[in-house]
Amino acid sequence: MELFSRHRLLPATRAARGRLVAGLCVGLLVACGGGQSGGDAQGSGAGASMARDSDTPMTEAQALQAGAALNAKSLQDALSRAQTLPATSKVAPGDVAPISAYAQGEVSRKAVGRVSVFRFYNTGTGAHFYTTSVDEREQVYRTAPSMSPEGEAFYAASAASTGLSPVHRFFNTQTGVHFYTISEEERVSVQANLPQFNYEGVAYHASLVPAAGFKPLYRFFVRNQGVHFYTASEEESLSVQANMTATHQYEGVGYYVMDAACASPPCGSTGPNRPRVFIALHGNNQLADNASLDAQWTYVRQNAHGIWGNNANISDAQSASLIRKMTTRNLITEYPVPSGAAAWLPLSAFNNLQVLYPDLDQSLNPEAIAFYTSDISRWNGRTVAQAEAIYTNPAASATRRYGGVYTGWQPQNFDPANAKYIYNNPNALMAFRSSKGTFIECPLGACTSGKLGEAFRRAIRETHVRGRPFIWFASNSGSPGWLAAFQATYNAVATEGLWRSEDVIAIVNYGGVYPKVPEAVGGVAADTSTGLAYWALQQRAAATP
């Protein structure tokens, strides 16, 4: 595997676009910013439209700007009602609850069908796209290469429940922009005054009243475009108010959305939010051959989660010896993507051990096979599909059938300012999005911060938003201070809350030149390759419930 070159990258374009989360889709899909239409859509119903002094139709800009007052009034009316309702009041789903239910977290706990609202950034238009639909999210991956996933923006309820109200979605057929409001009065007014706004139903449910477990969704009117943009980030809202008043008119809080994926964080599975640890075959010839070293990496041998099948410069006999010293039998095989237009997929991969050693043939668990190249021109649009057909063949024996096909890259492949950016090549993007996992090589502390760190974490987010595992290929060619650099990168990712329990760190000691043992001295991780594994395993153990 190649090491990427160190070079100065161009300044990021992200700051220039102000990190806006406007709901501009330019007609791409029918769910820009709020998710799929629900089945509980409400019709035009009764209600008063905006008062006018004459029958002269209001302009779109006038109607939208006037709607902000209706939305603010709806929030204030709801708060007043909540404050006057007795605490023992019986409340139907969708109605305002007593203020105590909001303050004490009852509304949050009773929310039905809590869902993530996913956000994409349109690299072509500078707009953002939102959806709660996993199916729609996958459609974007497959059909919209300009849409870069940015993860979960906030959380909402998919159904009506105590204290939560429907958020209505409209689609402006003239601009391709979606508009959202929780105000029934504003909904009726838009339907009465803006025929170009198609009502698409209920996007999700949120709160009219500030509550425990909720945060404001801030609303702005973009004057020069006649659209709204929304953000659940207070920092982003303050930045826009401070720096973009010429174009963005602050309209206050649109409504309140959930600030966590569950009512009582931490959320998600009961597993630890720290990655698994895999030991590479490459570079560990000495550990395979020298039994006298076994006692110096006992904890790692017994607790590592898998083997990284980079078998360069290590014999089959040494590979088998190393695997037998370890408790785990999980295997992720790495295979390079060669250059050239000819069919590149091998007919077999890494099954020599199974053929040569019956005990391994009966015990290995091929979790995945990972194909690597940072050269985006090498992907031909068919590669992952071919690999899936070959390596996940259900007719093959369990120990020779991989669970999935991963793709491997360098951090530069996720830097928009780099020529190797995967979005520059549709085939590379297809390979990334269709693979079942992603691994990125990043040696020492190169991805702790700066441009490479930003690209590294973008790769993690883009992998996780697809529900796939991320693998950090943590390598070194002998430079000193590996443990400290490794810890810095690991902790930087942990600080942002990006690690998932299914993620993997593969520790690769190129050429075996870095000290390999001991794993620890006095119970403290040593600055050795097994010391890195020891420390990472301790982090996962500490995070395990």
Side-chain angles (χ1 to χ4, degrees), residues 265-321:
C267 310
S269 67
T270 57
N273 60 341
R274 292 294 184 270
R276 298 177 292 159
V277 179
F278 278 46
I279 304 300
L281 295 175
H282 174 78
N284 282 321
N285 310 57
Q286 187 179 12
L287 295 181
D289 293 338
N290 194 341
S292 66
L293 300 179
D294 290 355
Q296 297 187 59
W297 62 299
T298 302
Y299 184 83
V300 172
R301 289 193 295 112
Q302 294 176 350
N303 292 280
H305 302 95
I307 300 129
W308 186 261
N310 181 327
N311 60 340
N313 302 318
I314 187 170
S315 68
D316 290 334
Q318 289 174 318
S319 295
S321 174

Side-chain angles (χ1 to χ4, degrees), residues 55 71 74 221 326 424 501 540:
D55 293 332
N71 187 78
S74 294
F221 181 67
M326 301 175 67
N424 293 336
S501 60
R540 183 176 170 99

Side-chain angles (χ1 to χ4, degrees), residues 77-103 106-108 110 161-165 207-211:
D77 289 349
L79 178 60
S80 298
R81 175 168 172 73
Q83 291 171 334
T84 58
L85 282 174
T88 57
S89 299
K90 292 185 178 180
V91 179
D95 289 344
V96 173
I99 194 65
S100 58
Y102 293 99
E106 181 182 350
V107 170
S108 176
K110 291 185 176 180
S161 59
T162 299
L164 297 186
S165 302
S207 178
L208 285 157
V209 179

Side-chain angles (χ1 to χ4, degrees), residues 16 19 34 36 58 103 126 128 298 375 393 404 443 451 512:
R19 294 176 56 85
Q36 74 280 18
M58 301 178 72
H128 284 77
T298 302
D375 183 351
N393 183 2
K451 287 294 295 176

Side-chain angles (χ1 to χ4, degrees), residues 335-342 344-345 369-388 405-410 413-414 420-439:
Y335 204 92
V337 177
S339 60
W344 59 270
L345 287 170
I369 183 167
F371 292 96
Y372 164 81
T373 179
S374 64
D375 183 351
I376 58 177
S377 68
R378 293 188 183 183
W379 298 103
N380 61 20
R382 298 177 293 111
T383 50
V384 171
Q386 286 177 305
E388 287 280 358
V405 172
Y406 295 175
T407 53
W409 314 83
Q410 296 275 340
N413 296 124
F414 292 85
K420 293 184 177 182
Y421 188 40
I422 60 171
Y423 285 87
N424 293 336
N425 185 300
N427 289 331
L429 186 61
M430 182 187 298
F432 166 68
R433 289 182 170 176
S434 59
S435 63
K436 297 300 189 295
T438 307
F439 84 87

Side-chain angles (χ1 to χ4, degrees), residues 37-297:
S37 296
D40 53 349
Q42 299 185 7
S44 56
S49 63
M50 294 176 230
R52 298 197 300 272
D53 295 331
S54 70
D55 293 332
T56 303
M58 301 178 72
T59 67
E60 179 178 318
Q62 288 173 330
L64 290 175
Q65 288 181 294
L70 293 177
N71 187 78
K73 182 178 183 299
S74 294
L75 267 61
Q76 183 57 52
D77 289 349
L79 178 60
S80 298
R81 175 168 172 73
Q83 291 171 334
T84 58
L85 282 174
T88 57
S89 299
K90 292 185 178 180
V91 179
D95 289 344
V96 173
I99 194 65
S100 58
Y102 293 99
Q104 297 172 11
E106 181 182 350
V107 170
S108 176
R109 289 191 297 271
K110 291 185 176 180
V112 176
R114 191 177 297 237
V115 292
S116 301
V117 179
F118 294 94
R119 185 175 87 179
F120 290 82
Y121 172 67
N122 190 322
T123 58
T125 67
H128 284 77
F129 167 79
Y130 291 83
T131 182
T132 62
S133 167
V134 174
D135 290 340
E136 189 169 58
R137 184 187 71 191
E138 291 298 321
Q139 181 186 357
V140 173
Y141 290 134
R142 293 191 299 270
T143 63
S146 64
M147 302 296 282
S148 175
E150 295 188 331
E152 299 170 340
F154 54 87
Y155 305 92
S158 61
S161 59
T162 299
L164 297 186
S165 302
V167 174
H168 304 285
R169 188 179 76 190
F170 291 85
F171 180 71
N172 187 331
T173 57
Q174 294 180 352
T175 64
V177 178
H178 282 82
F179 171 71
Y180 303 88
T181 180
I182 198 171
S183 167
E184 291 297 328
E185 292 82 359
E186 187 174 25
R187 173 185 66 80
V188 171
S189 177
V190 170
Q191 289 179 298
N193 293 286
L194 300 173
Q196 69 272 34
F197 277 61
N198 284 347
Y199 181 59
E200 295 185 336
V202 175
Y204 48 77
H205 293 73
S207 178
L208 285 157
V209 179
F214 287 75
K215 61 183 177 180
L217 184 75
Y218 303 100
R219 167 172 157 164
F220 292 80
F221 181 67
V222 187
R223 297 186 184 92
N224 60 336
Q225 295 177 310
V227 303
H228 282 83
F229 115 88
Y230 314 86
T231 177
S233 166
E234 182 180 16
E235 179 184 4
E236 186 173 58
S237 172
L238 292 174
S239 176
V240 173
Q241 292 179 60
N243 302 301
M244 305 182 70
T245 55
T247 55
H248 290 67
Q249 177 181 327
Y250 180 55
E251 295 185 338
V253 174
Y255 43 88
Y256 299 89
V257 296
M258 299 174 187
D259 59 9
C262 61
S264 300
C267 310
S269 67
T270 57
N273 60 341
R274 292 294 184 270
R276 298 177 292 159
V277 179
F278 278 46
I279 304 300
L281 295 175
H282 174 78
N284 282 321
N285 310 57
Q286 187 179 12
L287 295 181
D289 293 338
N290 194 341
S292 66
L293 300 179
D294 290 355
Q296 297 187 59
W297 62 299

